[in-house]
Amino acid sequence: MLNTRVYGSPIVYLDNAATTQMPYAVLKTMEHYYHHTHSNIHRGVHYLSEQSTCDYEKARNIVKDFMNAESEHEVIFTSGTTDSINIVALAIEPYVNEKHEIIVTEMEHHSNYLPWQALCKRTGAKFIVAPVSVRGELDFEELERLMTQRTALLAICHSSNVTGAVNPVKKVIECAHQKGIPVLVDGAQSVSHQRVDVQNLDCDFYCFSGHKAFGPTGIGVLYGKQQWLNQFMPVKYGGGMVRQIKNGEPAYWESPAKFEAGTPNIAGAIGLGAAIEWFASLPRESIISHELELTQYIRSELLKIPGITLVGSPEEQIGIVSFTHRYAHPFDIASLLDKLAIAVRSGAHCAQPFMDRFGISGTVRVSISLYNTKEEIDYLINGIKRILKVVDGR
Ligand code: PLP
């Protein structure tokens, strides 16, 4: 992919917050599965089924170790972050009523906003949106004030998909737990940039998507503490999740099977396992410092261009930078950059409450990954300058 040419030029792929590219290890693992062991899992006794089951469960264990979950029972394969959050929002419904409140923040992706708003509409609970500061950071004091005895759950992203701001989730979780509030962390943007240790964070739920962490699309993870997963009822029903039906009454398997009804995305899970194994084998500290350096370089170079405003100036940040220009529309900038073979994102990034907070309709978003280089950023900056010369007419 990174050698692909578009319009005759080598691609400069800076849309990693939308999806990351996959290493050969992932493609080869999935190809091997389809060529040699493709079969359904868990219920077959034949060789291929046992092999696929073994590979699928091995992937779960890789994810478990990667996140430092206590047990593989806490790792549920889903179709992605959106699916993971919706599962929790449905499973927790019997514990929520009109006396409760659910808190999200102004910087959430719609995936961590709409499922909670819908839950509140169904149950009569109050939907509360905690504010972000002018720097695009969480207003911790205000959030602390909003968390009360009535709060049934707090849903918060680990990092913003608009500004890259990293939330102090450990501190937030500590504070929430002192008030008896469970916390769901949307880690969609974090797993490929930061260390994630669910035991250290002590979060109740953690969600992410395979395709934003060097894996394939259509696979994701829901981590949940066993105390929650044991008491939750399933939210999807079908084969594979029921131990027996006696006199018409079902008895469900324990988690994760209880939450994985039907044939899962076997190749996707195995591919995600390969992605995480590959990523975990890389020198993490050098990746983090490489990405930080590139991010700071993007910020400082953009700030030198007249008319550009950076959206958000978080103290701690992953490799995502959003900007606007006084004349040029984000869509026009992104479309013209595309003609130079530069892939960036424009729009509201499924975060309209955040856009409203800043009184803007959208941004241009540059998002990097470990494979991006300083030369690519120079090419981007030159591209933006060329475009603005035309748009600005000077
Ligand atoms: N949460 C955040 C912070 C995201 O950035 C995204 C996707 O961009 C999602 C959730 C949704 O992820 P998916 O579409 O893979 O379910």
Side-chain angles (χ1 to χ4, degrees), residues 102-179:
I102 302 267
I103 305 179
V104 301
T105 83
E106 236 168 9
M107 69 167 88
E108 298 312 310
H109 187 282
H110 296 164
S111 290
N112 200 27
Y113 187 102
L114 296 173
W116 304 114
Q117 190 182 45
L119 171 66
C120 288
K121 282 186 180 153
R122 291 197 301 273
T123 58
K126 192 171 168 197
F127 183 61
I128 296 183
V129 184
V132 300
S133 71
V134 279
R135 293 177 63 125
E137 290 178 315
L138 180 72
D139 182 340
F140 180 76
E141 262 103 69
E142 185 55 17
L143 176 64
E144 195 175 14
R145 200 189 61 74
L146 289 170
M147 291 195 276
T148 69
Q149 303 287 321
R150 292 185 300 281
T151 313
L153 181 129
L154 164 67
I156 182 168
C157 59
H158 201 162
S159 313
S160 157
N161 69 311
V162 180
T163 62
V166 176
N167 280 324
V169 282
K170 191 169 160 63
K171 187 166 112 179
V172 167
I173 292 163
E174 237 171 64
C175 176
H177 283 178
Q178 275 165 15
K179 300 182 185 192

Side-chain angles (χ1 to χ4, degrees), residues 25 43 72 80 144 217 232 234 242 279 282 312 372:
R43 294 178 288 286
E72 64 274 17
E144 195 175 14
T217 52
F232 281 169
V242 65
F279 183 53
L282 303 175
N372 289 119

